Amino acid sequence: TKKPTPAPVVPAGTTCDLKPSASTTGATGTRSNSSVTTLTSGQTLANVNVKSLNISGSNVTVRNVKVTDGILVTGDNVTISHVTTPDIGISSARHVLVEYTNIGFSQNDAIHVTSDRGRQVQDVTLRYNYLHDPRPPADAHYDGTQVRGVNGMKVSCSVYDAGKYTS
């Protein structure tokens, strides 16, 4: 099975070669609208706008896609690159790469990693992502990245911008 490309090693004391922002992450250019909501094994979704996305298969790639209502990853060997979405759930998945993704304006955690489907999440890499502008209800809290049971997670070269406090 194909694993996502490993994150580049950034030596201690150095800076990342790119500071993620709204202009350097997310979907860009011309995209068509698609009714796709579920991706199964071996599929690639690129250059489209979709309402929501459930990635249940293995060896799936999502590139240059805008997702209005969020992404749920339950499959293995998944690459999400240059995507715009309010939030991403990674649930009992393995070998997941999320990179150059613009994640913002959600009432939920931006990225929620959880081993809640009978097996532990393994090998998640989050790099060069821009997480910003949370919109949780007044009685809730927000996590840029919530982690509940993972073996092997790397977060690098990402920007977490919670914005100014609002009551």
Side-chain angles (χ1 to χ4, degrees):
T1 57
K2 178 186 157 214
K3 290 185 180 181
T5 305
V9 176
V10 179
T14 62
T15 59
C16 296
D17 59 347
L18 170 81
K19 181 178 180 184
S21 68
S23 64
T24 61
T25 61
T28 62
T30 304
R31 296 176 314 279
S32 59
N33 293 325
S34 174
S35 61
V36 170
T37 58
T38 300
L39 294 176
T40 57
S41 293
Q43 291 187 299
T44 295
L45 184 66
N47 305 314
V48 295
N49 301 316
V50 296
K51 181 168 174 49
S52 63
L53 195 55
N54 182 351
I55 303 170
S56 59
S58 296
N59 303 311
V60 173
T61 299
V62 179
R63 184 180 310 109
N64 199 41
V65 172
K66 181 176 181 183
V67 183
T68 306
D69 290 344
I71 299 172
L72 175 61
V73 179
T74 58
D76 297 339
N77 304 313
V78 174
T79 298
I80 298 171
S81 183
H82 292 91
V83 169
T84 300
T85 186
D87 48 62
I88 298 174
I90 300 171
S91 175
S92 293
R94 294 181 176 170
H95 314 297
V96 178
L97 169 64
V98 179
E99 64 178 1
Y100 301 101
T101 296
N102 183 323
I103 305 168
F105 305 107
S106 178
Q107 293 186 0
N108 304 308
D109 297 332
I111 301 173
H112 189 96
V113 180
T114 183
S115 298
D116 63 348
R117 293 173 188 260
R119 77 175 185 172
Q120 188 175 41
V121 175
Q122 290 184 3
D123 188 27
V124 174
T125 300
L126 309 174
R127 66 181 182 199
Y128 293 104
N129 297 303
Y130 177 52
L131 294 78
H132 60 95
D133 296 292
R135 300 288 190 258
D139 62 344
H141 79 277
Y142 169 84
D143 294 314
T145 300
Q146 166 91 24
V147 179
R148 302 181 90 176
V150 64
N151 181 3
M153 183 165 165
K154 298 174 189 135
V155 180
S156 65
C157 303
S158 294
V159 170
Y160 288 70
D161 182 357
K164 69 181 198 174
Y165 172 78
T166 58
S167 58

